[in-house]
Amino acid sequence: MMHRTFRRVLPALAAVAVALSTGASARAQQVPTLTINQIDASKYPQLRAVATVLDGNGVPVPGLKADQFQAFDGERRLTISNVTSAQDATVPLSVVVTIDVSGSMAGDPLSQAKLAATSFVRQLGASDRATVVVFNDKVATAVPFTNDQAVLTNGFATLQAAGGTALYEAVQASAFAARTTDSPRRAVVLLTDGQNDTQQSAVTGEQALAAARAAGVPMFTVGFGDQPDTAYLKSLADATGGAYLPATTATVGAVYSSIAAVLRDQYVIDLQAQAPADGATAQLRLQVSVASAQLAANASYQRGAAPATATPQPSPTAVPPPAGSRASGGGTSTALVALGAVGAVAAAGGGGVLVVTWWRRRRVVRRQTAVTAANPVQAAAQPLPRQVGAIVDGETALETGTGRLVERRAEGNAVHQLGGGPVVIGSSRRSCTIILPESAHVAPEHARIWLRGGRYLLHHAGGFRRRTLVNGREADWVRLERGDELQVGPHVFVFEDDEDEATPS
């Protein structure tokens, strides 16, 4: 399997995409960049790196030769045995083309996305392969990996839009799909116009992000339209060394073409290392001379497999039993052995830090899973539409109500009438009803409130990096009761409803 280390996003490519999406000129000079996209150290001391070189306009630099590159492991110079352009048929690409087909993509948005994706696969080489992954409420493979462009084109042509947006599951599925191929170059191109809003997803945003990192491929995320989860898509691109690119129906074709150009003009560099296979983490420093510029990039890799050690492994009996369960043998002595093992790990310094980090991460995932566990039951009882803003699925609200949120402010409380909803709370001036100041703690669309069956329902929509609290507890789907206190970042609201007492439970 290909092991990948990414250093950063492709800033020049992102700059080009921004210029395209805003209609601005792309002539403004940017800094030339060298990016190490992937490193394969599975056959150490033989290494293979995949790199991208962009000029001052964000355009891939073609035709570079081996004598223009240099490589180092620390102070040791590495031997470059071969440099091959990705256009060479001997270094094929496998790309996962993932497209949002939720209801909000219906009409011209999906039509333009399909045209752009079709043009993208037509720019692939004869030995390159692609698979088409689509998602709305669920994720599916529309076309398995193939280099048959007719099959791919027909796959795009049959796509139709409906349903919600299982974004996190789509990210995870795309990462898994990329890992199934052993191509020397791999990538994911994912387009979405919304945020994760599926009611039955068992995948959290962090879990999807972890799967993307583990896949070892760059993810090029395309935020389509004016309401994608830009923050999450950017974090996904940052974590994998891809790039986030905004697009509209007018520019999505150009955005896909810019991604194709980058993938088409990558370089595959074969290297020979000199250091022993000691399992240590090393730094590859790659340099390239382009015109009068000397570009450099660093990326880490592992020098072969770590040698076996004589350190004894903890006995299974040293692990304390779960709370509430019976311990076999002497419970006290087993606990003491476990504490001793934990103490030994802590004394190991770096190992202790890793254990603590792992435990904290595990605790966060458990908490997130506990929050989302009730989704299917609560959502099935009161299904909520996906569409946000003042319009629900193209129609106005069917119910009227007297509910309101009283926002506590230092300069005096503010009252927000809820009516029949939907009411969207967040920082987006385009789609929110209750607009809050932009903040790291407030999502563009943070929470939504509807009136259904005479009761107001709240759905947290801000992802797992930001929270909505109801009476001090983290909320996902909640039926509001009079007097409930809502907290969105630093903002506090109290729910009131004159008819709440008369509403049947």
Side-chain angles (χ1 to χ4, degrees), residues 202-504:
V203 181
T204 67
E206 286 301 318
Q207 288 170 334
L209 198 58
R213 288 194 188 100
V217 297
M219 284 200 170
F220 297 87
T221 56
V222 181
F224 199 35
D226 55 9
Q227 293 184 7
D229 190 345
T230 303
Y232 184 75
L233 295 177
K234 284 183 176 179
S235 67
L236 188 63
D238 290 343
T240 62
Y244 170 74
L245 303 104
T248 65
T249 54
T251 64
V252 64
V255 167
Y256 268 79
S257 291
S258 68
I259 298 172
V262 167
L263 296 175
R264 190 168 56 246
D265 287 305
Q266 288 178 314
Y267 290 92
V268 179
I269 302 131
D270 293 312
L271 307 161
Q272 184 72 29
Q274 306 298 327
D278 55 8
T281 299
Q283 282 288 322
L284 170 66
R285 178 173 178 81
L286 188 64
Q287 298 178 349
V288 63
S289 298
V290 179
S292 59
Q294 184 75 18
L295 310 179
N298 298 311
S300 61
Y301 67 96
Q302 190 175 39
R303 295 194 191 113
T309 64
T311 305
Q313 297 298 316
S315 168
T317 57
V319 180
S325 66
R326 294 184 179 180
S328 59
T332 303
S333 61
T334 301
L336 291 175
V337 172
L339 289 173
V342 172
V345 172
V353 172
L354 291 175
V355 169
V356 171
T357 302
W358 170 83
W359 179 255
R360 285 178 177 172
R361 235 175 240 177
R362 186 164 176 254
R363 185 175 59 184
V364 169
V365 171
R366 279 182 171 178
R367 175 180 61 79
Q368 294 172 348
T369 303
V371 170
T372 59
N375 278 5
V377 175
Q378 297 182 22
Q382 294 286 350
L384 302 183
R386 174 183 185 276
Q387 188 65 35
V388 299
I391 303 298
V392 184
D393 293 337
E395 299 178 1
T396 57
L398 300 178
E399 299 183 53
T400 59
T402 58
R404 58 186 175 272
L405 292 181
V406 179
E407 183 180 0
R408 294 176 178 171
R409 297 178 179 175
E411 66 275 14
N413 294 343
V415 178
H416 306 278
Q417 299 294 334
L418 299 177
V423 168
V424 184
I425 306 171
S427 61
S428 172
R429 294 185 175 276
R430 183 180 297 272
S431 58
C432 290
T433 315
I434 300 177
I435 302 172
L436 303 177
E438 292 187 4
S439 162
H441 304 290
V442 178
E445 293 175 4
H446 199 105
R448 308 166 191 167
I449 299 176
W450 285 264
L451 182 65
R452 287 294 179 272
R455 304 308 299 257
Y456 283 96
L457 301 176
L458 176 143
H459 172 42
H460 171 71
F464 289 109
R465 289 164 295 152
R466 308 176 183 92
R467 301 185 298 169
T468 300
L469 302 181
V470 176
N471 298 327
R473 300 184 65 179
E474 188 169 355
D476 191 27
W477 294 82
V478 174
R479 188 176 69 179
L480 296 177
E481 305 287 349
R482 188 169 62 174
D484 282 348
E485 183 178 274
L486 284 63
Q487 185 171 347
V488 175
H491 308 278
V492 177
F493 304 83
V494 176
F495 173 71
E496 295 182 353
D497 190 353
D498 295 336
E499 298 184 359
D500 191 55
E501 289 184 345
T503 304

